[in-house]
């Protein structure tokens, strides 16, 4: 690795030297391969590297950008990388930063999805996933607890979480309707009872300093980051074309009802609904991909989440797995081109899922940088985050049901899986063991049990 990437300024008062495009390129590439740990872990890595160590951006400017990414649909860590890359090196800097955050995970998941789909019945693979499935159930419960403990600060937010759980669990209300209702409650509730809807997100205030930064608190907004209506319109048109052209080609080549075309349309909608992170949108993906289109089974959905948890990049990259399995199972290019079908479907799904994130940053970034005022979206975001807790709890129960009663409630109870799930939960909650280590340990346990005991 280039030593200029690891060096830090000699003193806190010394401003770091300008960062070249290729220095930044190498850093974003490295980040794409080490960005494990979900959004919290990924943001922590960026903060440590960019704010504390390299001092490319100040704490206050970093959190200002993060607050904007928090109110957008889409993966906030990937959007934050895009924002900082754009702020330092203009549009191409943002595209490179955001793209390299995703590309390593795309290639890794295509490979793992192929191994899973082609060799999933092999005893080795089946044994590993026998242990992984209960671990994923515990991981999702932990996500609900982690987000809930941070977000549910009063009775109103608890009520929103409970209502969203009842809505999706008992009434089967679509996830978009839950998000819209929560946003409306937050919008009006923030005006009526602002103390109940104070800024969500759980990120601390910018009260620390790590020395002079390349983009410091008092650094003037770069010329390319100044707001202009002409820029906004141009980016909006380019973004629309980047969506419209592939959709038009898919429709013209295969028809509107074809698997690839419907994947493009479905995951465009999913990309606009990912408020609160990947765990929040997974029920929507399940409703469509499993129940609606039949691209994969409930068991495969759980396995896909496990693969997403063990690879770098945003957790929403689980959609890449969904796309691969759907293209492979539907044989969109015929029985002799199954891998090609899966790889193309996975790439298309990833494109339509992440395109809006780039457009939102490049369109909205100049406005955010020019104003430098507190955002006014925090009350709706707080309410949405509360609703997300209920949705994630529903997802955890869904996973638990399919793991512990794989043949339905009339079938036998998987007591071995229950023991593995409890062990994983103890490791996560009591001993704070990382998600990757828990999955790896449970995979080994599952393999041993399936191979030598069960």
């Amino acid at each position: 690795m280039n030593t200029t990437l690891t060096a830090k300024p000699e003193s806190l008062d010394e401003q770091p030297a300008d960062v070249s495009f290729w220095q930044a390129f190498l850093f974003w590439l490295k980040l794409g391969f080490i960005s494990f740990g979900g959004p919290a872990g990924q943001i922590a890595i960026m903060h440590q590297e960019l704010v504390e160590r390299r001092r490319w951006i100040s704490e206050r400017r970093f959190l200002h950008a993060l607050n904007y990414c928090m109110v957008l649909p889409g993966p906030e860590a990937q959007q934050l990388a895009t924002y900082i890359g754009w702020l330092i090196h203009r549009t191409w800097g943002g595209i490179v930063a955001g793209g390299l955050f995703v590309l390593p995970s795309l290639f890794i998941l295509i490979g793992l999805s192929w191994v899973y789909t082609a060799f999933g019945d092999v005893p080795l693979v089946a044994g590993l996933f026998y242990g992984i499935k209960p671990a994923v159930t515990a991981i999702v419960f932990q996500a609900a607890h982690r987000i809930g403990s941070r977000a549910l600060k009063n009775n109103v937010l608890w009520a929103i979480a409970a209502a969203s759980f009842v809505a999706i669990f008992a009434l089967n209300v679509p996830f978009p309707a839950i998000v819209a209702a929560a946003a409306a409650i937050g919008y009006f509730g923030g005006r009526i009872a602002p103390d109940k809807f104070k800024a969500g997100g759980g990120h601390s205030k910018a009260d620390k300093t790590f020395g002079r930064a390349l983009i410091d608190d008092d650094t003037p907004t770069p010329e390319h980051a100044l707001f202009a209506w002409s820029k906004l319109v141009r980016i909006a048109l380019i973004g629309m074309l980047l969506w419209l052209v592939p959709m038009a080609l898919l429709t013209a080549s295969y028809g509107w009802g074809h698997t690839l075309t419907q994947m493009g349309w479905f995951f465009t909608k999913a990309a606009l609904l990912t408020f609160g992170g990947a765990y929040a949108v997974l029920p929507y993906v399940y409703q469509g991909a499993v129940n609606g289109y039949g691209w994969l089974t409930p068991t495969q959905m759980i396995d896909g989440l496990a693969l997403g948890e063990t690879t770098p990049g945003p957790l929403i990259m689980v959609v890449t797995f969904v796309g691969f399995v759907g293209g492979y199972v539907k044989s969109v290019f015929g029985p002799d081109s199954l891998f090609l079908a899966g790889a193309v479907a996975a790439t298309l799904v990833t494109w339509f899922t992440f395109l809006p994130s780039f457009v939102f940053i490049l369109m909205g970034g100049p406005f955010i940088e020019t104003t430098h005022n507190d955002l006014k979206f925090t009350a709706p975001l707080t309410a949405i985050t509360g609703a997300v807790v209920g949705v994630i709890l529903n997802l955890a129960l869904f996973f638990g049901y399919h793991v512990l009663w794989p043949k339905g409630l009339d079938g036998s109870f998987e007591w071995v899986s229950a023991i593995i799930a409890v062990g994983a939960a103890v490791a996560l909650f009591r001993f704070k063991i990382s998600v990757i280590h828990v999955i790896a340990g449970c995979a080994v346990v599952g393999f041993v049990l399936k191979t030598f005991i069960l």
Side-chain angles (χ1 to χ4, degrees):
M1 186 60 65
N2 192 325
T3 56
T4 57
L5 279 179
T6 59
K8 58 185 288 188
E10 293 293 335
S11 69
L12 295 181
D13 294 328
E14 178 187 349
Q15 183 166 337
D18 288 343
V19 179
S20 74
F21 180 87
W22 291 109
Q23 286 177 334
F25 180 95
L26 290 175
F27 170 76
W28 298 122
L29 178 62
K30 172 186 173 183
L31 182 65
F33 283 99
I34 65 171
S35 56
F36 293 94
Q42 293 156 357
I43 291 168
I45 291 172
M46 281 190 282
H47 185 276
Q48 183 181 43
E49 290 289 333
L50 300 181
V51 177
E52 300 179 32
R53 186 178 183 185
R54 308 180 197 276
R55 287 159 43 192
W56 288 3
I57 187 169
S58 70
E59 171 97 348
R60 188 174 298 276
R61 297 287 279 266
F62 181 90
L63 291 180
H64 187 72
L66 177 57
N67 284 337
Y68 175 54
C69 297
M70 282 289 296
V71 303
L72 295 174
E76 62 201 47
Q78 184 263 350
Q79 290 170 330
L80 180 61
T82 305
Y83 192 108
I84 296 174
W86 160 78
L87 193 58
I88 297 175
H89 289 119
R90 310 171 70 91
T91 299
W92 276 110
I95 292 172
V96 165
L100 291 178
F101 201 91
V102 172
L103 283 177
S105 181
L106 171 63
F107 293 126
I108 293 170
L109 272 173
I110 286 177
L112 291 176
S113 299
W114 176 71
V115 170
Y116 171 84
T117 309
F119 306 104
D121 293 330
V122 174
L124 169 62
V125 178
L128 293 174
F129 276 95
Y130 182 79
I132 287 174
K133 290 185 181 71
V136 169
T137 303
I139 288 166
V140 180
F141 270 109
Q142 186 207 30
H145 175 268
R146 184 178 66 247
I147 297 173
S149 62
R150 187 187 73 212
L152 306 182
K153 298 299 186 183
N154 54 63
N155 292 336
V156 172
L157 296 178
W158 272 99
I160 292 173
S164 74
F165 173 77
V166 171
I168 197 167
F169 179 81
L171 306 178
N172 201 30
V173 175
F175 178 66
I178 294 174
V179 170
I185 291 171
Y187 177 79
F188 292 106
R191 294 169 177 265
I192 298 170
D195 288 345
K196 299 293 186 181
F197 294 90
K198 286 187 176 178
H203 300 291
S204 60
K205 296 181 180 180
D207 55 358
K208 298 180 182 178
T209 179
F210 299 94
R212 292 287 299 173
L214 184 63
I215 300 177
D216 215 338
D217 295 348
D218 56 358
T219 301
T221 301
E223 184 178 352
H224 71 271
L226 294 173
F227 178 80
W229 283 107
S230 59
K231 292 180 184 178
L232 186 144
V233 172
R234 183 170 67 251
I235 293 170
L237 290 175
I238 293 173
M240 182 60 68
L241 285 174
L242 289 173
W243 178 86
L244 189 60
V245 169
M247 280 299 296
L249 290 174
L250 289 171
T251 305
S253 301
Y254 302 110
W256 179 251
H258 191 268
T259 296
L260 293 180
T261 311
Q262 285 300 300
M263 281 183 172
W265 176 238
F266 175 76
F267 284 101
T268 296
K269 294 184 289 183
L272 301 176
L273 295 168
T274 50
F275 294 96
Y279 283 114
V281 80
L282 283 176
Y284 176 71
V285 174
Y286 164 74
Q287 286 176 338
V290 177
N291 290 341
Y293 293 100
W295 291 331
L296 73 173
T297 65
T299 298
Q300 289 172 329
M301 187 74 185
I302 300 172
D303 295 341
L305 181 57
L307 290 178
E309 288 276 15
T310 55
T311 53
L315 183 57
I316 193 61
M317 289 297 292
V318 68
V319 302
T320 301
F321 173 85
V322 173
F324 187 96
V325 173
Y328 190 102
V329 170
K330 297 295 184 181
S331 303
V332 295
F333 297 142
D336 297 328
S337 302
L338 294 180
F339 174 79
L340 178 64
V344 169
T347 304
L348 279 174
V349 162
T350 304
W351 172 265
F352 285 110
T353 299
F354 284 92
L355 176 62
S357 290
F358 288 94
V359 175
F360 288 142
I361 294 299
L362 297 177
M363 282 182 61
F367 173 75
I368 301 304
E369 277 300 310
T370 300
T371 58
H372 272 287
N373 292 322
D374 293 336
L375 300 177
K376 304 302 181 185
F377 311 122
T378 54
L381 173 65
T382 300
I384 290 171
T385 304
V388 161
V389 176
V391 172
I392 296 174
L393 179 60
N394 171 74
L395 182 70
L397 293 177
F398 159 76
F399 280 177
Y401 169 77
H402 284 282
V403 168
L404 302 180
W405 289 275
K407 297 180 181 179
L409 291 176
D410 295 333
S412 60
F413 178 76
E414 280 283 342
W415 63 270
V416 176
S417 295
I419 293 173
I420 296 174
V422 170
V426 171
L428 290 166
F429 284 93
R430 175 67 178 85
F431 297 103
K432 311 298 182 185
I433 297 175
S434 71
V435 166
I436 294 176
H437 291 153
V438 169
I439 289 178
C442 290
V444 172
V445 170
F447 170 73
V448 171
L449 290 173
K450 273 292 188 182
T451 304
F452 301 107
I453 299 176
L454 299 180

